[in-house]
Amino acid sequence: MPMSEEEKKRFDDKERKKAEVRKRLEDEAKAKKGKKGFMTPERKKKLKMMIRKMAAEELKREQERKAEARRKIIRDRTGNPKHDDSGNEATFMKACKDYHDRIRKIQESKYDLEFEVKQKEKLIIELNGQVKDLRGKFIKPTLKKVSKYEQKLEK
């Protein structure tokens, strides 16, 4: 039974559409297989290296900030060095008086701080004693044994 030309066209059309669908599905499957995910091992390595580098830089900056703050504190406490080689006795006396005043002020603040620390230590000891008193051991009263039989007789 020979196919008419129209039937042949329909059959060819169906076959062509089937082939197109099959090809599209195969391409999608290949695309899925080819796509291994966003984080490939190479990307992970690169990302880890970048994170380590950034952390090292941040650590270095933090250390520099701390060192600068330390230098500033030391400079504030000690004052600027006074290098005067002129040999003038009046300038040396003035420098010595300045240092003496600074030492006196520092000693006063040290004494005040030590006094505050001693007061706070005494307060802590006192509060600890109060806590121990509140937690004190209370004597539990001993309970008397009573038989059930005697209770029934009393009723």
Side-chain angles (χ1 to χ4, degrees):
M1 199 164 152
M3 284 192 209
S4 71
E5 206 164 300
E6 199 171 298
E7 289 176 353
K8 201 173 190 182
K9 256 188 181 180
R10 280 189 219 155
F11 181 73
D12 287 343
D13 234 10
K14 281 184 182 179
E15 287 297 317
R16 187 177 45 80
K17 285 182 183 177
K18 283 182 183 178
E20 285 176 7
V21 170
R22 193 176 305 123
K23 187 173 189 301
R24 192 181 75 225
L25 290 173
E26 286 176 0
D27 289 344
E28 287 176 5
K30 283 182 183 177
K32 285 183 181 177
K33 284 183 182 178
K35 191 176 182 183
K36 296 180 181 177
F38 180 72
M39 289 303 284
T40 61
E42 295 147 10
R43 281 187 176 176
K44 284 183 183 177
K45 263 187 193 177
K46 192 173 182 181
L47 184 63
K48 284 181 182 178
M49 284 176 40
M50 289 173 64
I51 290 172
R52 282 191 198 123
K53 186 185 281 187
M54 288 172 59
E57 290 171 359
E58 183 63 31
L59 185 65
K60 190 175 181 180
R61 282 194 296 263
E62 184 67 27
Q63 287 175 344
E64 288 173 1
R65 278 190 291 248
K66 285 182 180 179
E68 183 59 35
R70 179 182 165 97
R71 278 187 241 120
K72 183 181 176 191
I73 290 171
I74 290 173
R75 204 175 318 115
D76 290 345
R77 288 184 182 170
T78 58
N80 295 327
K82 295 179 173 71
H83 298 292
D84 193 10
D85 295 333
S86 66
N88 191 352
E89 190 174 329
T91 57
F92 287 136
M93 290 296 288
K94 184 178 184 301
C96 288
K97 285 181 182 178
D98 290 343
Y99 283 128
H100 187 268
D101 289 341
R102 181 175 293 138
I103 290 170
R104 187 179 43 78
K105 287 178 185 175
I106 291 172
Q107 288 291 337
E108 286 175 3
S109 64
K110 176 186 167 195
Y111 176 78
D112 293 340
L113 289 173
E114 286 176 351
F115 184 73
E116 284 181 35
V117 168
K118 285 179 184 178
Q119 280 185 327
K120 289 182 180 179
E121 284 177 350
K122 287 178 184 177
L123 179 65
I124 289 171
I125 291 170
E126 183 180 320
L127 291 174
N128 280 337
Q130 289 177 0
V131 168
K132 285 182 183 177
D133 289 345
L134 290 175
R135 266 197 236 153
K137 295 183 179 180
F138 298 103
I139 301 170
K140 295 180 183 175
T142 55
L143 299 175
K144 296 179 183 177
K145 291 185 179 181
V146 180
S147 66
K148 293 180 185 179
Y149 183 70
E150 291 177 9
Q151 287 180 352
K152 287 181 183 178
L153 289 176
E154 290 175 4
K155 289 182 184 178

